[in-house]
């Protein structure tokens, strides 16, 4: 196929954007001349992250429904949805893609609806173990639905589901530095265990408060911490540590730019249970304690976490119990070498290392049709 053109739509969070870019990169690996256009939501993260990855993106004035659903503000939301659908129809007619891929997020709904109405084959990539409202409705229109967990026929037509796993950031897999060198990048050594605590790029209030509530226990432990606070909480945490004292075994940063080094240095990871985070932990075989965010649609992070917990591939702490239980459990677990090996090996057994390539092949197959 000489002139291959594909639209990839979605975003809103890193959890949607990382897989989308990974799929685009995998398509380019197979078909270097492929033309790929992204469609995102104006003002959202994808509008800067996608161009930074080297791809063109068009923005739509689409946004999410406001709770409660009977709110009068949703009239404006629906107006923007139909406006976005009109805009994206003209984008599709001008770009003339053979396939449209949806990765979740506000923009994927009008884009895939418009593509379906124009008779263009669609593929959905569902990252979570509990499908969201948008993807459930789009599943009826998609030719293929690529999923990361078993049992997704609860949400989608069984004959269209393909188990591919979630694509992850490829740079995580190719760290050239040794574990000791990675630890040294954070001012640490590998003589005592290292715990990595991440709450996403914006941070997670519960995880941060769990650290602040247990500063003395952390200071007394023969353990080192890499703590990504998130930009939103940076100033507040700096003030707290200035007032209460920062333990010397605690490395604090609002953003870890070399997450590949942080993962390699860590003996145990504490994380939210977003789909991308879980896929990364599995692919790297990292033992983890998951604290699902309660502030997500359909509580999908708890479903994601339990998929690992039920296979003894991660530990789990409820958000409401984290401030009291999380740090003591982490300090206990990180010194239990047998437990760390068991969790890491079981997580690795749930990984799909060639996920982006498998989805790319599926996209190309639809394009050839």
């Amino acid at each position: 196929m000489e002139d291959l053109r594909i639209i990839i739509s979605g975003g809103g969070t890193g959890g949607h954007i990382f897989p989308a870019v990974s799929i685009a990169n995998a398509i380019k690996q197979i078909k270097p001349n492929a033309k790929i256009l992204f469609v995102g939501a104006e003002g959202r993260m994808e509008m800067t992250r996608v161009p930074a990855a080297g791809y063109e993106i068009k923005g739509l004035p689409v946004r999410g429904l406001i709770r409660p659903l009977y709110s009068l503000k949703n009239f404006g939301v629906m107006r923007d949805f139909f406006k976005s659908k009109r805009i994206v129809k003209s984008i599709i007619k001008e770009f003339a893609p053979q396939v449209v891929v949806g990765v979740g997020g506000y923009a994927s709904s009008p884009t895939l609806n418009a593509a379906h109405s124009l008779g263009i084959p669609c593929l959905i990539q569902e990252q979570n173990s509990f499908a969201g409202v948008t993807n459930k409705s789009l599943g009826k229109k998609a030719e293929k639905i690529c999923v990361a967990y078993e049992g997704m026929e609860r949400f989608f037509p069984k004959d269209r589901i393909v188990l591919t796993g979630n694509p992850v950031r490829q740079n995580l897999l190719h760290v050239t530095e040794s574990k000791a060198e990675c630890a040294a990048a954070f001012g640490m050594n590998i003589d005592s265990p290292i715990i990595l605590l991440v709450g996403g790029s914006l941070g997670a209030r519960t995880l941060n408060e769990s650290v602040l509530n247990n500063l003395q226990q952390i200071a007394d432990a023969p353990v080192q911490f890499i703590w990504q606070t998130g930009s939103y909480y940076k100033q507040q945490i700096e003030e707290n540590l200035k007032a209460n004292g920062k333990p010397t075994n605690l490395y604090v940063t609002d953003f870890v730019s070399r997450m590949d080094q942080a993962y390699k240095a860590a003996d145990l990871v504490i994380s939210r249970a977003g789909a991308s985070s879980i896929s990364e932990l599995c692919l790297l075989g990292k033992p983890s304690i998951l604290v699902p965010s309660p502030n997500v649609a359909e509580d999908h992070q708890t479903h994601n976490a339990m998929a690992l917990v039920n296979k003894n591939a991660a530990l789990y702490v409820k958000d409401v119990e984290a401030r009291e239980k999380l740090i003591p459990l982490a300090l206990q677990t990180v010194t239990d070498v047998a437990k760390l090996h068991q969790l890491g090996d079981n997580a690795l057994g749930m990984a799909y290392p060639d996920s982006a390539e498998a989805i790319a092949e599926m996209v190309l197959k639809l394009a050839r049709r």
Side-chain angles (χ1 to χ4, degrees):
M1 186 180 296
E2 289 304 307
D3 194 14
L4 178 63
R5 294 174 308 284
I6 293 156
I7 283 179
I8 300 177
S9 183
T13 66
H16 292 309
I17 298 162
F18 295 142
V21 170
S22 293
I23 293 166
N25 291 343
I27 291 168
K28 284 288 213 181
Q29 282 274 300
I30 304 166
K31 293 281 185 184
N33 295 329
K35 293 182 176 67
I36 299 173
L37 175 67
F38 280 74
V39 176
E42 287 172 358
R44 304 292 290 186
M45 197 188 288
E46 59 266 26
M47 299 308 292
T48 53
R49 293 283 177 90
V50 167
Y55 294 99
E56 185 188 351
I57 187 166
K58 305 268 190 187
L60 303 177
V62 65
R63 50 205 170 103
L65 287 166
I66 293 156
R67 313 265 172 192
L69 293 178
Y70 54 76
S71 166
L72 291 175
K73 291 178 182 173
N74 280 326
F75 283 112
V77 173
M78 292 312 295
R79 185 188 62 232
D80 286 347
F81 173 84
F82 289 113
K83 183 181 176 185
S84 296
K85 197 173 167 185
R86 284 196 304 275
I87 293 168
V88 83
K89 264 191 174 176
S90 65
I91 291 171
I92 290 170
K93 284 174 180 173
E94 187 183 334
F95 187 70
Q98 284 97 342
V99 186
V100 172
V101 178
V103 294
Y106 300 144
S108 63
S109 183
T111 305
L112 270 78
N113 272 294
H116 178 72
S117 70
L118 293 167
I120 294 161
C122 300
L123 177 145
I124 292 173
Q125 201 257 322
E126 172 56 65
Q127 289 112 12
N128 295 296
S129 64
F130 196 93
V133 176
T134 301
N135 271 358
K136 275 192 280 192
S137 67
L138 292 174
K140 301 182 184 92
K141 298 167 181 176
E143 307 257 334
K144 292 290 177 190
I145 302 139
C146 296
V147 300
Y149 297 91
E150 292 163 357
M152 296 301 283
E153 54 273 8
R154 292 176 294 159
F155 308 108
F156 301 117
K158 190 176 180 179
D159 59 330
R160 300 183 204 170
I161 294 173
V162 188
L163 188 59
T164 58
N166 283 327
V168 301
R169 293 174 280 185
Q170 293 304 298
N171 64 329
L172 297 177
L173 303 174
H174 309 296
V175 193
T176 53
E177 301 97 327
S178 66
K179 181 175 178 175
E181 287 170 327
C182 290
F186 299 94
M188 297 180 179
N189 58 65
I190 53 173
D191 298 335
S192 56
I194 296 172
I195 296 172
L196 169 64
L197 189 144
V198 284
S201 54
L202 295 176
R205 183 195 297 275
T206 303
L207 300 191
N208 290 340
E209 289 177 356
S210 300
V211 175
L212 294 174
N213 288 3
N214 291 274
L215 285 176
Q216 192 56 54
Q217 210 175 346
I218 288 168
D220 295 341
V223 168
Q224 305 164 97
F225 275 80
I226 300 170
W227 177 22
Q228 179 180 280
T229 64
S231 54
Y232 187 78
Y233 300 99
K234 180 186 178 185
Q235 190 179 347
Q236 175 192 335
I237 286 166
E238 280 175 358
E239 288 166 7
N240 189 301
L241 292 174
K242 202 173 282 181
N244 298 305
K246 183 177 92 64
T248 55
N249 56 342
L250 189 62
Y251 174 92
V252 188
T253 179
D254 61 316
F255 182 70
V256 176
S257 57
R258 286 289 306 273
M259 192 56 80
D260 55 340
Q261 286 183 331
Y263 273 136
K264 188 155 186 178
D267 298 287
L268 176 69
V269 180
I270 297 170
S271 173
R272 286 302 202 191
S276 282
S277 300
I278 284 187
S279 297
E280 290 172 359
L281 293 168
C282 289
L283 200 58
L284 298 168
K286 282 290 167 187
S288 63
I289 301 174
L290 301 172
V291 186
S293 170
N295 311 312
V296 293
E298 285 96 19
D299 195 25
H300 67 248
Q301 286 204 6
T302 298
H303 294 278
N304 291 349
M306 295 315 294
L308 269 68
V309 172
N310 291 337
K311 295 196 175 181
N312 201 14
L315 300 177
Y316 160 65
V317 173
K318 283 184 182 175
D319 188 85
V320 292
E321 298 175 350
R323 290 166 186 83
E324 181 189 336
K325 294 183 177 178
L326 178 60
I327 297 302
L329 176 62
L331 294 174
Q332 176 194 326
T333 305
V334 80
T335 54
D336 184 342
V337 176
K339 186 67 177 174
L340 292 178
H341 278 306
Q342 182 186 51
L343 292 171
D345 289 347
N346 290 341
L348 192 60
M350 295 179 70
Y352 293 90
D354 303 316
S355 178
E357 291 77 6
I359 296 168
E361 291 286 5
M362 202 80 56
V363 171
L364 295 175
K365 204 176 280 185
L366 286 177
R368 282 193 287 272
R369 279 175 43 193

